[in-house]
Amino acid sequence: MKIALADEMKKIDKRAIEEYGVPEILLMENAGREVAAAFEEYLGGVSGKRICVLAGSGNNGGDAFVAARHLMNHGAQISIFLVGSPAHLTKSAALNRDIIVKMGIVVHVLETERDWDKLQVTLRFVDGVVDGILGTGFKGGLRDAAARVVRMVNGHGKPVVAVDIPTGVEADTGNASPEAIRADLTVTFGLPKFGHMIGAGETATGKLLVDDIGIPKALLEDDTIRQTYLDDVTVAPVLLPRPLDAHKGSCGRILVIAGSRGMTGAAALAASAVLRSGAGVAVLALPRSLQEMMAGKLTEVMTKPLPETDEGAIDIAALGEALALAEGFDAVLIGPGLGRAQETQKFVQDFCAAVKKPLILDADAIYAFCGKTDAFKGFAFVPILTPHLGEMAHLLELSVDELRASLLDMTREVAREYHAVFVVKSECTIIVYPDGQAFLTSKGNSGMATAGAGDVLAGAVAGLMKQTAAGLAPLAGVYIHGLAGDLAAKEKGYGLIASDILENLPRALCTLL
């Protein structure tokens, strides 16, 4: 499934109307009906229940008027408040307003304090709220009236269904006004929006339902839309079938350069994830003093000692040995738990510049290129970087808030400029390729916010390098990692740890084979 930006969805609606002849009023009817049906199911029926409908003056408000009509027809007691001027209603919204007025429903306009008092009392006693104030065109901050309504709705804590997107959430960024509606359920139209899945927008959205509302399928699958939602249907074809004559060498030989004194866990998790993702061979190259301990800990992962600093981190003196070692592998994962010693950073920079193998850079390997990002352009293969938001912000010399303000646009820009694939880990991990194609995963949960989860992800991506169609290991790795986390959460809840994700990688893979 594609994911739309606000302007893309606006163009889709326009083409449906102008090229296919689908009337705007029909799209509005379908949208409002779906909102009403979804809320009725969520509430376990609406007959005899009191519903407060909040409508803006745009087409989002028109959808809300339609929903009010259908809810009333199913037995709900409806109260409607217009947040905005009746004079500013769009043509289709005004038409649907007029229909419900003829049905005997009063549309209250919030003009005087008595009107506001009426809304306050109504919210106190209703069974649910329909949020149709603002839609995907919102950016910046809410105006005073809308902000006041949102504070009142959130303060009463009643079940809320949002029409298309919660009021106060930006469709293209997921950034939200401090007063954004906190919806329990959001019914969006045509395609999901980026803002539903990232940042504060994901929290505000609640459960997300998507309905095509009769928009022609070809418009929703247009190749000019460069955001894709990863699901089983999208990811399964990425995985290559394993031939009957497969052997460990043909399934992927992966070198992992990781670990330092005090940070062996990251190395162990990453190397183990390589194998749990189906690779045939994993070798962990690490500081010499740690080799004996890690060889005892990791039964299936082979270990290779490298020269180290006095502090127990890989030394620049290891460069020649590491480069020679890498020649026998299909790809190299470098970074988990390496540490940030000056000698180690120099090793990472020189190794990555010289090695002639595909690279996956994680954690401290990414840190080594802060202020040196032009080096990515000189790598032998397009590198894959797996930063979390903090690492990504540091790489770009930004604050996390500045990065979040335009995460997709900024990631696209640097992926193109540095000719690299970025896997940016957050509440919804995004993958962006140099050509601007972006992918968001439908898997993963907040229980995965645990130390070591990113090391498992890096190992999963590396382990799939020889098991996926060319260049698509990041898609499969992110999706399978998230699915493994979901499987672990069913048993462990918020108490899951990184090794729980690791142990569920094979189960996640099995669901796609």
Side-chain angles (χ1 to χ4, degrees):
M1 181 188 297
K2 298 284 189 175
I3 300 168
L5 301 176
D7 282 348
E8 290 172 338
M9 199 65 235
K10 187 175 181 180
K11 290 175 183 176
I12 288 171
D13 288 342
K14 189 172 188 290
R15 290 184 63 192
I17 294 166
E18 295 180 357
E19 296 179 21
Y20 288 82
V22 182
E24 179 181 79
I25 198 71
L26 178 59
L27 295 176
M28 186 172 287
E29 179 67 24
N30 292 344
R33 186 180 62 246
E34 290 302 323
V35 170
F39 207 30
E40 182 172 16
E41 181 177 350
Y42 184 83
L43 294 175
V46 294
S47 181
K49 293 182 178 177
R50 291 165 291 192
I51 306 295
C52 178
V53 177
L54 302 169
S57 55
N59 280 352
N60 202 250
D63 299 337
F65 290 141
V66 173
R69 169 161 43 89
H70 285 282
L71 290 167
M72 181 179 178
N73 285 343
H74 286 207
Q77 300 173 32
I78 301 296
S79 298
I80 301 181
F81 292 83
L82 178 63
V83 186
S85 170
H88 294 156
L89 285 168
T90 64
K91 182 179 179 180
S92 296
L95 189 152
N96 278 295
R97 184 274 315 269
D98 293 345
I99 293 173
I100 59 174
V101 168
K102 291 175 182 178
M103 293 173 66
I105 303 175
V106 176
V107 177
H108 303 283
V109 182
L110 294 170
E111 295 176 323
T112 69
E113 282 305 312
R114 290 191 65 181
D115 299 321
W116 286 98
D117 290 342
K118 187 175 293 183
L119 174 58
Q120 186 76 268
V121 172
T122 299
L123 289 171
R124 185 177 302 160
F125 295 105
V126 296
D127 298 292
V129 178
V130 176
D131 164 34
I133 305 172
L134 295 173
T136 57
F138 167 79
K139 290 182 181 179
L142 291 174
R143 294 182 178 178
D144 291 344
R148 185 176 178 183
V149 173
V150 171
R151 286 194 297 269
M152 292 170 67
V153 172
N154 289 343
H156 282 282
K158 299 300 176 71
V160 177
V161 60
V163 177
D164 208 11
I165 196 164
T167 292
V169 173
E170 294 185 0
D172 289 352
T173 66
N175 296 329
S177 166
E179 295 87 10
I181 284 284
R182 297 193 295 268
D184 299 276
L185 176 69
T186 296
V187 182
T188 197
F189 313 126
L191 294 170
K193 317 305 184 289
F194 185 79
H196 289 134
M197 302 171 185
I198 204 82
E202 182 187 32
T203 301
T205 294
K207 181 180 179 181
L208 180 65
L209 300 179
V210 183
D211 192 272
D212 63 34
I213 63 169
I215 295 172
K217 184 178 181 181
L219 296 179
L220 302 178
E221 296 178 348
D222 195 298
D223 288 339
T224 62
I225 303 172
R226 297 187 300 161
Q227 303 81 226
T228 301
Y229 196 39
L230 295 177
D231 55 19
D232 287 0
V233 174
T234 309
V235 176
V238 168
L239 297 169
L240 300 175
R242 183 167 292 195
L244 294 177
D245 61 349
H247 55 84
K248 64 183 180 182
S250 65
C251 298
R253 293 175 52 84
I254 308 300
L255 175 63
V256 180
I257 303 177
S260 59
R261 191 176 300 160
M263 291 191 287
T264 54
L269 288 166
S272 297
V274 168
L275 294 179
R276 286 296 189 184
S277 300
V281 175
V283 171
L284 172 60
L286 74 171
R288 189 177 309 280
S289 65
L290 304 177
Q291 189 268 337
E292 184 176 353
M293 175 186 67
M294 294 298 280
K297 178 180 177 66
L298 299 170
T299 305
E300 295 87 1
V301 176
M302 293 178 280
T303 56
K304 175 68 176 178
L306 293 177
E308 65 181 15
T309 66
D310 292 341
E311 292 75 27
I314 293 175
D315 190 76
I316 184 61
L319 180 60
E321 193 172 339
L323 287 170
L325 179 63
E327 287 301 312
F329 292 85
D330 298 307
V332 181
L333 165 59
I334 183 168
L338 273 182
R340 298 178 179 180
Q342 184 174 350
E343 299 92 335
T344 307
Q345 290 185 55
K346 177 63 173 170
F347 164 81
V348 171
Q349 293 158 9
D350 291 355
F351 177 86
C352 292
V355 73
K356 305 302 180 185
K357 298 291 179 178
L359 284 168
I360 302 95
L361 282 74
D362 185 52
D364 295 327
I366 297 172
Y367 182 88
F369 288 95
C370 291
K372 300 178 173 64
T373 48
D374 283 343
F376 298 141
K377 302 174 187 177
F379 290 1
F381 293 84
V382 175
I384 300 167
L385 282 71
T386 61
H388 57 57
L389 286 175
E391 291 165 340
M392 184 70 166
H394 191 265
L395 184 70
L396 303 182
E397 299 180 342
L398 300 169
S399 70
V400 172
D401 287 343
E402 288 172 328
L403 176 62
R404 275 196 179 278
S406 190
L407 178 60
L408 182 58
D409 286 345
M410 286 187 181
T411 306
R412 275 191 165 131
E413 182 179 343
V414 297
R416 176 189 55 79
E417 182 178 351
Y418 303 145
H419 201 58
V421 179
F422 279 85
V423 178
V424 184
K425 298 174 286 193
S426 68
E427 60 280 342
C428 180
T429 295
I430 66 171
I431 307 111
V432 180
Y433 283 78
D435 65 357
Q437 290 292 331
F439 300 83
L440 284 79
T441 182
S442 59
K443 301 299 181 183
N445 60 84
S446 57
M448 296 172 70
T450 185
D455 303 310
V456 176
L457 172 58
V461 172
L464 289 160
M465 291 291 283
K466 287 285 285 183
Q467 301 179 80
T468 51
L472 300 183
L475 306 187
V478 166
Y479 189 78
I480 290 165
H481 176 262
L483 179 54
D486 289 343
L487 292 170
K490 289 180 180 179
E491 180 182 354
K492 304 293 178 63
Y494 294 148
L496 70 84
I497 57 176
S499 58
D500 297 321
I501 304 171
L502 172 68
E503 294 305 317
N504 276 283
L505 288 175
R507 290 178 60 199
L509 267 171
C510 284
T511 67
L512 298 174
L513 298 178

